[in-house]
Amino acid sequence: MDNKTLATPITGPMRLVLLDRSNPVFACYLVWMSLLVLKMLCMSLLTARQRMRTKTFANPEDLRLPKLSEVRFGDAHVERVRRAHRNDLENVLPFMLMSLAYVATGPHPMVARLVIRIGASARVLHTMVYAFIPVPQPARTLAFFTTFLITCFEAIYVLVCCIKYI
Amino acid sequence: MDNKTLATPITGPMRLVLLDRSNPVFACYLVWMSLLVLKMLCMSLLTARQRMRTKTFANPEDLRLPKLSEVRFGDAHVERVRRAHRNDLENVLPFMLMSLAYVATGPHPMVARLVIRIGASARVLHTMVYAFIPVPQPARTLAFFTTFLITCFEAIYVLVCCIKYI
Amino acid sequence: MDNKTLATPITGPMRLVLLDRSNPVFACYLVWMSLLVLKMLCMSLLTARQRMRTKTFANPEDLRLPKLSEVRFGDAHVERVRRAHRNDLENVLPFMLMSLAYVATGPHPMVARLVIRIGASARVLHTMVYAFIPVPQPARTLAFFTTFLITCFEAIYVLVCCIKYI
């Protein structure tokens, strides 16, 4: 009995672990998720920059260093970045979680990678036209709905795959 | 030496991969997570609908198409949907992440599926009585605390399972 | 042919499943994630307590039981807890997702566990000095940037590992 015959049953039943970096789709997901997390963290820095530039601080303990006398709210520049940041929480986090679930159902690799790339890129674009350089509509709406519809597609794909386990 | 004896040690040490769709509990988690993500995305559409109905837009660049002259804030109908949406961010996202961790610890399948189903359904109910048809209390509070306590239960279960790795 | 020779090729190609509780780094991640989720849920209770103490309710249907006549907004104590809670959404959720991705790339176990422990502890500290006992700056800023930089480190680590799959 040679080694070859022994090896067959070992590798035979071993199925690909989908949530593992040996799966190129999951590796692709990891890269784009990292980029989106870095982008989201930038929003905090952008808010801080706008707060300093416009001297709008919301907490009394923040006033000591810039030598200000009172807290302020509702500055238009600060609020714009905060709205963009909140929009990220509302859309990027669900997109990330949904993409993870989508990858876990083992979709077609090429479609999955395309979907992740477009969905993530659209959110980077959304931040650009919302918080960096306000651009006339429908730039923001288009970027918004690209990721929105991709997240919907992923959710429906997962539902179709696993609905019997509801 | 027959194949049977050879096969035993191969399938023997192979443990079920918990975060894989071959695990019915994880498949159940995927289904309910997709439903919750779709529900959360609906909140964005609901906000947009209320903004258009009450002509309350927060960004100057959104005023061109509906031919309005100034941004508005604090409309009661828009703010109600926004509060419901924020409540989702505060509770649904932690519930999703916690359930994933809970499934990863390999809980009893029947208990786990029950917990996921009730926790997710309660959040759908919460949105109904908060953003769609405002219902007298304690409807919203009950729906809120159902998912809240389930998330706590999952967190404590995971802590008990893995506390030695702290 | 003895059992030992047979056993070798079986355990040989079996790679550690990273997102499994048999991986100590993942178990450590699960513990700290559970603690962070419990901490985040506490913020909801803290908000509710401040709302009751200052009689600041945002929804008309919440006024019946405490026998109040109108909704109120913008109480300083309520808003402080809400800002702390929002800061959690903006930072703890990305930290959790990023740490999961980081663990999935199979980093050095000791470094990974250290990074997770410090990042999570800093957020507990952040809540303390923000929502419980307001402390003069830079306490809050230091706690904030500890987790912020750790999340950046994890994101860059994952990018370096998997950038070719972009």
Side-chain angles (χ1 to χ4, degrees):
Chain A
M1 196 172 193
D2 61 332
N3 266 329
K4 209 163 158 287
T5 8
L6 277 177
T8 316
I10 298 159
T11 52
M14 268 192 81
R15 226 161 58 75
L16 180 68
V17 178
L18 290 168
L19 299 185
D20 189 277
R21 60 187 280 214
S22 62
N23 174 10
V25 179
F26 186 62
C28 174
Y29 167 75
L30 291 179
V31 170
W32 284 99
M33 204 178 85
S34 305
L35 291 172
L36 281 179
V37 164
L38 286 175
K39 191 205 74 57
M40 280 184 78
L41 293 183
C42 281
M43 302 304 286
S44 293
L45 298 180
L46 208 60
T47 308
R49 200 186 67 127
Q50 293 287 19
R51 281 197 186 285
M52 280 177 212
R53 217 169 53 82
T54 62
K55 300 194 195 301
T56 311
F57 295 93
N59 297 297
E61 70 265 31
D62 301 347
L63 302 172
R64 208 172 47 115
L65 218 69
K67 292 197 176 64
L68 298 168
S69 56
E70 55 183 11
V71 292
R72 281 182 59 203
F73 299 98
D75 176 86
H77 294 93
V78 175
E79 290 307 310
R80 172 175 284 274
V81 180
R82 275 169 62 83
R83 278 198 302 275
H85 201 168
R86 176 165 166 166
N87 199 291
D88 270 4
L89 298 178
E90 290 171 0
N91 293 283
V92 175
L93 296 176
F95 170 68
M96 282 180 182
L97 282 167
M98 202 61 243
S99 298
L100 183 66
Y102 174 63
V103 172
T105 55
H108 188 286
M110 226 170 68
V111 177
R113 292 170 77 175
L114 200 70
V115 152
I116 290 167
R117 282 164 184 157
I118 296 174
S121 309
R123 284 310 301 187
V124 176
L125 214 69
H126 182 270
T127 301
M128 294 281 180
V129 301
Y130 202 165
F132 277 95
I133 318 121
V135 159
Q137 290 279 30
R140 200 181 86 226
T141 307
L142 285 179
F144 175 84
F145 275 109
T146 305
T147 312
F148 189 92
L149 291 176
I150 281 178
T151 313
C152 284
F153 163 75
E154 291 177 342
I156 291 163
Y157 185 94
V158 171
L159 279 179
V160 169
C161 269
C162 302
I163 195 70
K164 65 177 172 176
Y165 296 101
I166 200 168
Chain B
M1 196 172 192
D2 61 333
N3 264 328
K4 210 165 158 285
T5 8
L6 277 176
T8 317
I10 299 158
T11 52
M14 268 192 79
R15 226 159 58 75
L16 180 69
V17 178
L18 290 168
L19 299 185
D20 189 278
R21 62 186 279 214
S22 62
N23 175 9
V25 179
F26 186 62
C28 174
Y29 167 75
L30 291 179
V31 171
W32 284 99
M33 206 180 83
S34 305
L35 291 174
L36 282 180
V37 165
L38 287 176
K39 189 205 76 58
M40 281 183 76
L41 293 183
C42 280
M43 302 304 286
S44 293
L45 298 182
L46 207 61
T47 308
R49 201 185 66 128
Q50 293 286 18
R51 280 196 187 286
M52 280 176 210
R53 216 168 55 81
T54 62
K55 301 193 193 303
T56 311
F57 295 93
N59 297 297
E61 70 265 31
D62 302 347
L63 301 173
R64 206 174 47 117
L65 218 67
K67 291 197 176 63
L68 298 168
S69 56
E70 55 184 12
V71 293
R72 281 182 62 204
F73 299 98
D75 175 86
H77 294 92
V78 175
E79 289 307 310
R80 170 175 286 274
V81 180
R82 275 169 63 85
R83 278 199 302 276
H85 202 169
R86 175 163 168 167
N87 199 292
D88 269 5
L89 298 177
E90 290 171 0
N91 293 283
V92 174
L93 297 174
F95 171 68
M96 281 178 181
L97 283 167
M98 202 61 243
S99 297
L100 183 66
Y102 174 63
V103 171
T105 56
H108 188 287
M110 226 170 68
V111 176
R113 292 171 77 176
L114 200 70
V115 152
I116 290 167
R117 282 165 186 157
I118 295 174
S121 308
R123 284 312 300 189
V124 176
L125 215 69
H126 183 270
T127 301
M128 293 281 179
V129 301
Y130 202 165
F132 277 94
I133 319 123
V135 159
Q137 289 280 27
R140 201 182 85 226
T141 308
L142 285 178
F144 175 84
F145 275 110
T146 304
T147 313
F148 188 92
L149 292 177
I150 281 177
T151 314
C152 284
F153 163 74
E154 292 177 342
I156 291 164
Y157 185 94
V158 171
L159 279 179
V160 169
C161 269
C162 303
I163 195 69
K164 64 177 173 176
Y165 295 101
I166 199 167
Chain C
M1 197 174 194
D2 60 333
N3 265 328
K4 211 165 156 284
T5 8
L6 276 177
T8 317
I10 298 158
T11 52
M14 268 192 82
R15 228 161 56 76
L16 181 68
V17 178
L18 290 167
L19 298 186
D20 189 277
R21 59 186 280 214
S22 61
N23 175 10
V25 179
F26 185 62
C28 175
Y29 167 75
L30 290 179
V31 170
W32 284 98
M33 205 180 84
S34 305
L35 290 173
L36 281 179
V37 165
L38 287 176
K39 189 205 77 56
M40 281 184 76
L41 292 183
C42 281
M43 302 305 284
S44 291
L45 298 181
L46 208 60
T47 308
R49 201 186 66 128
Q50 294 286 19
R51 280 198 187 285
M52 279 178 211
R53 217 168 54 81
T54 62
K55 302 193 191 303
T56 311
F57 295 93
N59 297 297
E61 69 267 31
D62 302 347
L63 302 173
R64 206 174 46 116
L65 218 68
K67 293 196 175 64
L68 298 168
S69 56
E70 55 183 11
V71 293
R72 282 182 60 202
F73 299 98
D75 175 85
H77 295 93
V78 175
E79 289 308 309
R80 173 175 284 274
V81 180
R82 275 168 62 85
R83 279 198 301 276
H85 201 169
R86 178 165 166 166
N87 199 291
D88 270 5
L89 298 178
E90 290 171 1
N91 293 282
V92 174
L93 296 175
F95 170 68
M96 281 178 182
L97 282 167
M98 203 60 244
S99 297
L100 183 66
Y102 174 63
V103 171
T105 55
H108 189 287
M110 227 170 67
V111 176
R113 291 170 78 175
L114 200 70
V115 151
I116 290 168
R117 281 164 185 156
I118 296 174
S121 308
R123 284 310 301 189
V124 176
L125 215 69
H126 183 269
T127 301
M128 294 281 180
V129 301
Y130 202 166
F132 277 94
I133 319 123
V135 159
Q137 289 279 29
R140 201 181 85 225
T141 308
L142 286 179
F144 175 84
F145 275 109
T146 305
T147 312
F148 188 92
L149 292 177
I150 281 178
T151 312
C152 284
F153 163 75
E154 291 177 341
I156 291 162
Y157 185 95
V158 171
L159 279 179
V160 169
C161 270
C162 303
I163 196 69
K164 65 176 172 177
Y165 296 101
I166 200 167

